């Protein structure tokens, strides 16, 4: 967990230690493909995460395949659906069961289980979350430009 490894705190509920698998130039932006399969940032062919950043950020962060990075995603940008969404360039789609629901007065926190004992957190309007149940298989979707990458030198 990022907070266990660093003396830094962040409001982002989703914090992943990852490893760069591939850099895909999309003409003005770069999709940084990150492996979520292994612990400690090691990719083992499991789920992938895409962070869309500028070529200047790739250079500034000195990213290349094998680089270890931390990926941060705020829970409110994660959408949960009960049907598989279309996969588009720069869009993340992850599937898994709901492991927790935390209803509040206006919003409900949703936790999705991912392989490798990882979790993805979302925050939904309570009316949209009302039909969801723990154990239900769902998909989470969010844009790669909502993923913030952090490195430490």
């Amino acid at each position: 967990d990022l907070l266990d490894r660093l003396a830094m705190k962040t409001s982002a509920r989703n914090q992943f230690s990852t490893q760069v698998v591939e850099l895909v130039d999309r003409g003005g932006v770069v999709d940084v493909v990150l492996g979520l399969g292994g612990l400690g940032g090691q990719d083992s062919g499991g789920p992938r995460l895409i962070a869309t950043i500028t070529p200047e950020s790739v250079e500034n962060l000195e990213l290349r395949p094998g680089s270890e990075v931390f990926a941060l995603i705020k829970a409110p940008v994660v959408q949960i659906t009960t049907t598989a969404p279309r996969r588009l360039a720069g869009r993340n789609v992850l599937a898994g069961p709901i492991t927790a629901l935390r209803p509040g007065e206006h919003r409900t926190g949703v936790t999705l289980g991912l392989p490798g004992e990882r979790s993805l957190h979302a925050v939904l309007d309570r009316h949209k979350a009302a039909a969801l149940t723990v154990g239900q298989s769902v998909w989470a979707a969010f844009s790669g430009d909502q993923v913030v990458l952090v490195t430490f030198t």
Side-chain angles (χ1 to χ4, degrees):
D1 184 25
L2 174 63
L3 295 179
D4 292 338
R5 295 175 67 173
L6 304 172
M8 176 180 80
K9 293 187 181 202
T10 173
S11 64
R13 291 279 293 133
N14 298 295
Q15 306 168 13
F16 298 105
S17 173
T18 68
Q19 187 175 55
V20 175
V21 174
E22 181 181 11
L23 300 169
V24 180
D25 186 341
R26 287 201 296 132
V29 295
V30 176
D31 283 344
V32 181
V33 181
L34 305 166
L36 289 179
L39 298 176
Q42 296 179 5
D43 181 54
S44 62
R48 302 287 170 94
L49 184 68
I50 296 170
T52 303
I53 63 175
T54 64
E56 294 82 8
S57 290
V58 171
E59 188 175 312
N60 183 51
L61 294 172
E62 300 177 4
L63 297 180
R64 64 188 182 290
S67 297
E68 289 192 19
V69 298
F70 296 102
L72 307 176
I73 308 119
K74 293 199 45 91
V77 303
V78 178
Q79 301 170 347
I80 300 292
T81 64
T82 57
T83 57
R86 283 186 18 197
R87 293 188 184 269
L88 304 170
R91 185 174 189 199
N92 291 284
V93 177
L94 300 169
I98 294 175
T99 59
L101 293 167
R102 293 169 307 288
E105 185 176 344
H106 300 289
R107 303 208 182 272
T108 297
V110 179
T111 302
L112 177 76
L114 298 175
E117 298 184 26
R118 294 180 183 243
S119 297
L120 183 70
H121 303 278
V123 177
L124 305 178
D125 177 274
R126 69 181 177 102
H127 299 295
K128 289 182 182 178
L132 301 176
T133 59
V134 172
Q136 181 178 6
S137 292
V138 295
W139 288 264
F142 53 95
S143 175
D145 60 10
Q146 297 293 326
V147 179
V148 175
L149 298 181
V150 180
T151 63
F152 293 90
T153 56

